[in-house]
Amino acid sequence: MIPFQAEDAIHMTVILATLTPLVAFLLIMLGTRARKNLSAGLSLGAIAISFGCSLLLLARLWNVREPLEYSTRWVALNRMEIPFGFLLDPVSLLMLSIVTLICLLVQVYSLGYMAGDPGFSRYYAFMSLFAWAMTSLVLSSSLLQLFIFWELVGLSSYLLIGFWYEKFSATQAGKKAFVMTRAGDVSFLLGLILVLVHVGNPAILEMNSLDSAGLMPSGILTFAALLIFGGIVGKSAQFPLMTWLPDAMEGPTPVSALLHSATMVAAGVYLFARLFPFFALSPTAMGIFLFIGTVSMILASTMAMVARDIKQVWAYSTISQLGFMIMGLAAGGYFAGVFHLTTHAGFKALLFLCSGVFIHTWHTNDIFELGKGGARRLKIPVIALVVAAGALAGLPPFSGFFSKEAILAALALSSHPVWLAAGLLGVFLTAYYAFRVLCILLFPPSAGEEPSGPVGGLAPAPKGSRQEGSSRTFIWPLIILAFLTLLLGFFQGPLQHFLLGEGKALLVDHGEQAGWLPFTALFLSLAGVGLAWAEFGRCGAARLSFVERIPFLRELFSRRWYLDHFYHFFVDRIVDRGFSKLFAQNDNRVIDGSIEAVSRGTLEAGRFLAFLQSGMIQYRLLVSFAVMVLLSLYFFYRDSGGF
Amino acid sequence: MIVPFGHVLMLAGMLFLLGVFCTLTRRNLVMIILGVEVMLNAAAIAFVGAALHWQSLEGQAFVLFIMAIAATEVSVGLALIVYAYRRSGSFDPSSCNLLR
Amino acid sequence: MKWMLFGPETYIFLVAFFFLILSMWRGPHSEKDHVLALALSGLGVVISLACLGAEGLLFAGAYRLDLFSQVFKVALSFGLFLIVCLCANVEEIKRRYRLEFYFFLFVCTLAMMLLVSAQHLLTILLALELSSYSLYILVTLRRDEDMGLEAGIKYFLTGIFASSIMIFGMALLYGATGAVYLQDLAQVLPEVMGTPAAVIGLLLTFGGFFFKLAVYPFHFWVADTYQGAPDQVTAYIATASKVAVIAVVIKLIAAVDQNSTYLIHVLAVLSIASMTLGNLAAMVQKDMKRLLAYSTIAHSGYVLIGILSGGTAGYASAVFYALALLVMKFTVFLVVVVLSPRGKNLEREELAGLHGRSPLLALALMVSIFSLAGIPPTIGFMGKFYVFMGAMDKGLFVLVLIAMINVVVSLYYYLLIIKAAYLGHSWETPPAVHLPQPMRWLTGALIATMMVAGFYPTPLIRLSEAVARSLM
Amino acid sequence: MPGVEIKGALSMQIEIAGFPYLSAILITCVTGLLVILLLPEERKGEIKWVSAGFSGTTLLLCVYLFFAYDKTRGGLQFVEKVPWVPSLGIQYFNAVDGFSLPNLLLTGIVFFTGVLTMWQLQERVKEFFALYFLMVLGVFGLFVSMDLFFIFVWYDVSLFPMYLLIAVWGTTRKEYAAMKLTLYLFAGSALLLPGMIYLYVHSGLNTFDITALMQPGTFTTAQQKFAFPLFYVGFGILAGVWPFHTWSPVGHAAAPHSVSMVHAGVLMKIGAFGVLRVAIFLCPEGWQYWSGVMAFLAAFGIIYGALAGLRQTDLKYVIGYSSVSHMGIVGLGLSTVSVEGLNGAVFQMFAHGIMTALLFSAVGHIYDRTHTKEIGELGGLSRVMPVASFYFILAALAGMGIPGLACFWGELVVFIAAFKVYPVRTVVALLALVVSALFMLRVVQRTFYGPPNERYAQLSDVSFSSGIPRMILAGVLLLFGLYPALLFDVIETASIPFMNGLPR
């Protein structure tokens, strides 16, 4: 470990990168809440500095192979030391750049999107808080520190989802998001404690250095890995803790773009990548991760197929893509997972931001209404949307194509072909639902042709708002992201080199890629696109998906496989009306009741005794005498050996 | 001593119990005081017997004082009872039930 | 010279005699009489204090003067003085009896003083009877004749019954041992402790004292008598009279207690019965004096714990407790006397709004009540603590535990009093209580005594220990 | 026989090192009390300023002590020893160590902020502050005392003013609550006193000096096993140990705000501290013997409090149950028989004290404005009083264990320590984290979020001056959340030597 040295330029840069958003947050909270422009300026400036620093770091350390670690003692307890520090290695640097970049873009975008909101300053404060927590999370050098920022990220997510706190559904969604991720976090904490108890100091590098295998029995190791994975499940909204993410779309759209698609939810996958060598020690655990990733991906895709809310579609898609990444990682494709994480951050943020433009313009989330409203007239957002959807569907030359291929290649090498089949199915479904949305938006039915759309179409948006919709703060982030989506795929080679280094292949040998795989995948994507076109795009299409023709499936999918019903049942019936009621009543009836009974009994006894006292004189004398006699008798009893 | 001390005690004890019995059972304030007088006399007999047993005069002195006490008791007690009778017109102890 | 040793008794006797003469000489004159009694009783305190160091034997050893007796004499004369302080306006006693009232008060105090010094069974008996008879009459003096009379009759009947039992017990004791001096008894008793006559005699003898102490099963008179007697008389019974009786019980038990487990068992049972009964019955009382009566029974139970623990520590704790009781009981009665409506008893609910009517009295009530409840830092807590220490030293853990549970139970009704004083809002707000300046000072001094002696009890504990040692 | 002669060679002489800061704290309280008593009732403003002045002085003294304590030396410092009742072995023995110091600081903070929180009080001001000072005097005394007798005395001194404080100035079912609370807590002391005297008698040392009594070998194992539960239950009642916790929600709900603050913030700590200082110090073997039961009760209390809190509809009840849950964490820490456990427990005492004081302070503000604590009647307060809401939400977040706020560290360290010893019980307790998040957020959502209620539309927010107490508390919460080492370093000066001194 290198101790802190003030003159260390890299170190200063790191501190600058993480701390400036915190400073911005504190300044806004303490001083500038009333002055909106200043708040936004502070926040933007901070994140810009942060982004600059991260680029600087990326450039400086592009060729440095050894991870750099800085840490200092923060809390030292008897046998436990909690260090605070930064770990700079390719994954964290890459992630840092993604996070700061998207943060910056989204904050710029928000300038327009959130303009006029009464909580404008608060919004930027929370954004800064998130930026601080996320960057610190990414750079954490120890698992405990990571956990701390993990929680803080969750907090900022809660605050941002419930940003419009007067809206019931928003606060409800925030609560749900926090509690569900909390459930995952508790599992994470348990795993952390387990590691801590056995290994001692949960520095990430040490955990990854494979010595932990020696320190922990393999059973415990698997158990710890699974528990930590619980945190990932919660944060990345994987099965079974997936339903909070669609609800989280109640937050402002830029928040969804930033937190709930590109960065925060990806933190789970990031943690997976971060601890990849550690997880890889337990094949059993990896198998389970693969399963959970697959289930999440398929489930979420099916849900996306029937959703009408544009943000919901992208939310399901996020879950599904995160599941896809986890599949890749769990199958051993370290690079594939991280690469998809990178590309996904770009195109998913783009998808949300584009949708945000539509939503901001027409004030509705319903894709059919947006389509009818004339979404296709907004040229730049539509083009960006097409680019992003193409990436999502895995069409070349967009970035998604390359990363998906990488993951599929990794899956192809996994133990069982079923995973690959599932992956391919996922590719098909993804392409289908992505283009379903696109087709609905771009090819609205002409009048009278609407079979199942909502009654009473939307009035065309006023000119002014459309003007606003294409204002610069909206457009530039879109353009930048679209270019990124276009280009990122071609940087696969350098990235792979950066992440893995030479001769450091992690588990999967990428040389033996099956030749038929890319073509199959591409074919499936195109099939999905074609199906979407056939059902929604072409003239005179029924605008009814094949799923919706089967009532059972439609119900199942649109009700999220009844997961929410289960949770509702669980919370309402078992926790609320079960244990909680039981305990509350236990307090009232059993504990307090018995105390009440004792006190009442005492009081009654007192009443009875007092009544006895008021007897006639001679009874009293009798009692006195009788007691004396009894006491004398006790003497004889005792004397005769009674005691 | 002709009569054994034990017999004297026995007599005293029986007399005492009789006094107690009278005190506890007779529903008449005067009889209660009488019962107590009997108890006192039982004590006096026991003292006399004990004085003889130990060949000391202190027991006799006790008896004298017990007589004095008994006299006081009767005077004070009767004063109270007569007063009470004048107010309530009864000697019944159960009429004393104002305080509770 | 020896007559100087007899100083306080002689003085009190002369004062009593003076009041007797005065009652025949002229009619009552309320205020003058009170000032006179106040001055004379105050002088009594001074004389008792002057005779504090007296030691010796009088009347052929039937009367013993030592630190023990002299301290209690000071306490008694002080108690008398305090009671006389309350007698500025004895509404409940007819004017024409006021002088007799003082006469009996002084006679009773004289008897008590004799009691604490008496060493001969006969002296003890006579002193006890003398004090009892004075009290029988004092109780009956109440203006509300039905109440006073009934209280008097009940007190009297229970009293004579108990005293005849005691006399019979003394006869048995005398028969079994042949000893009448306490010091002789102490020597002879161990040999005959196994015989029924001695043990039963002892038990029955204690009966008379238990009656005075208000210990179960001779406690029945307490509630009625307290309720029916004039407030000042009740206060006297509860404070000065109790102190003397505690002293004599300590003395008796110190003389006869030869670590007999039987005696300890009996005392423990009576102690538990007294506290439990007293505390439980007190919970449902509405009349303040009746409530305090039951609380007295409970306190007698606590004192018994100290007495039965034995040893210097045990007796010292009992002495401490007696002195503490004197102060705290008196303070409560001071409040009760001041607040009592004319000719009637004070109900608990009538305390309502006291904090507004007289903050000082409310504070005095609160401190004394907390002291009675045994909550630190008051003298009452220290007393309980001290008593429990002695008991624990004897290994009586369960007894201490039961006593503590009783303390919690008692807290309930004590808190109700405080609640009434501090919370209750009476419908028509009674006028503010006017307290003369000297009474204010007295009240303040009492509060200070209870707090200071509770927080820094060392001098008082030293005194109690010295007293207890002089007994052994 | 006690009281006859002094056995052993215990030094019974005056021993005061330097300026008696600890007595100065107590004397400040007493002086404040007397000054308040002497001021006439009508001069409410002066009474408040006097209270603020004296409580501020104690706070400064506490802060000074906290930083003046020599961490490298550790052990007992600022010792003041004066023989009090020599024949009974009672000493006026004050000292602080790493365990009491955080609590002392906590008391100072909560005391001062509590006075400021009650600034709006108009009814019977003089009596209120007099009783309040008396209560806090007891708390201070207990934390600094090293003499068993005085610990008991201070314990009761801190409790009995509570009756009037709740019964006179309280709100919901105040008389019932006051009576219940007082009897409950004194029932605890009914176990303490016998236990205390039991130890005194069996030590044979004729002293109540804890440092003398805690020497190994003073008590046999059987005696320790016997005495420990007495103290554990006796003090545990005050610490809200399940199943003796039901006084806590009722009492907290009924008490006036600053009393709730002191009560939940400090008095419950007295209970836990008593368990530590008396039960654990004097009966370490009993501690080890009973620790499993302690852990069970604590773990169950944690989840129980959280779940039972879920159904409450009164803001203060909710906080009361959360206190039960949080104090369970302290209990869990104490039950681990390890340095970490003690560290975490003491840290959690401090953190919970500040947090819950902040919660009550915020609720106090809301109640003063809206005159209701029913969650159902509130709603949308964020719009009307953003600052007040902010403080409440901050404290609620601390209660959920969000990192960056002090409670997180206490919980984390306790859970880590407990997991090593009682994995299953810890897992059960950890589930409560989810539940407590659920119920805290539920309260926040229903009270502060949602459309603003017209009834409260024209209510004023916290002004700067009346926000001071909350600002202090929030600041402390953040300070120790961001730099917990400040506190942990102090605690460790006590916990490590103590655990090292234990016979294993």
Side-chain angles (χ1 to χ4, degrees), chain C residues 38 170 179 187 287 293 298 381 436 463:
Chain C
L38 206 56
M170 281 181 173
Q187 281 168 3
D287 187 305
F381 163 72
L463 177 70

Side-chain angles (χ1 to χ4, degrees), chain A residues 555-610:
Chain A
E555 280 296 295
L556 188 65
F557 292 171
S558 63
R559 300 204 174 202
R560 304 178 184 172
W561 291 69
Y562 293 95
L563 272 176
D564 262 355
H565 292 75
F566 169 72
Y567 286 123
H568 191 260
F569 173 81
F570 181 75
V571 170
D572 191 58
R573 289 293 157 87
I574 297 185
V575 175
D576 233 358
R577 285 191 221 168
F579 284 110
S580 179
K581 193 173 178 184
L582 179 73
F583 287 170
Q585 290 195 345
N586 180 50
D587 258 16
N588 283 339
R589 306 245 169 101
V590 181
I591 299 182
D592 272 2
S594 49
I595 288 164
E596 206 96 318
V598 168
S599 44
R600 211 166 287 257
T602 315
L603 211 56
E604 284 306 315
R607 198 158 286 145
F608 180 66
L609 280 173

Side-chain angles (χ1 to χ4, degrees), chain C residues 178-249:
Chain C
V180 281
Y181 287 97
L182 287 185
Q183 58 265 40
D184 294 348
L185 265 178
Q187 281 168 3
V188 184
L189 260 181
E191 298 158 20
V192 295
M193 216 34 204
T195 61
V199 171
I200 294 172
L202 206 54
L203 189 66
L204 295 185
T205 310
F206 282 136
F209 298 100
F210 289 160
F211 158 74
K212 296 285 292 185
L213 192 56
V215 169
Y216 178 86
F218 291 102
H219 65 280
F220 287 105
W221 59 276
V222 187
D224 292 341
T225 307
Y226 274 37
Q227 191 186 0
D231 290 344
Q232 286 82 355
V233 176
T234 313
Y236 184 79
I237 297 175
T239 55
S241 142
K242 277 287 168 308
V243 171
V245 180
I246 292 172
V248 74
V249 172

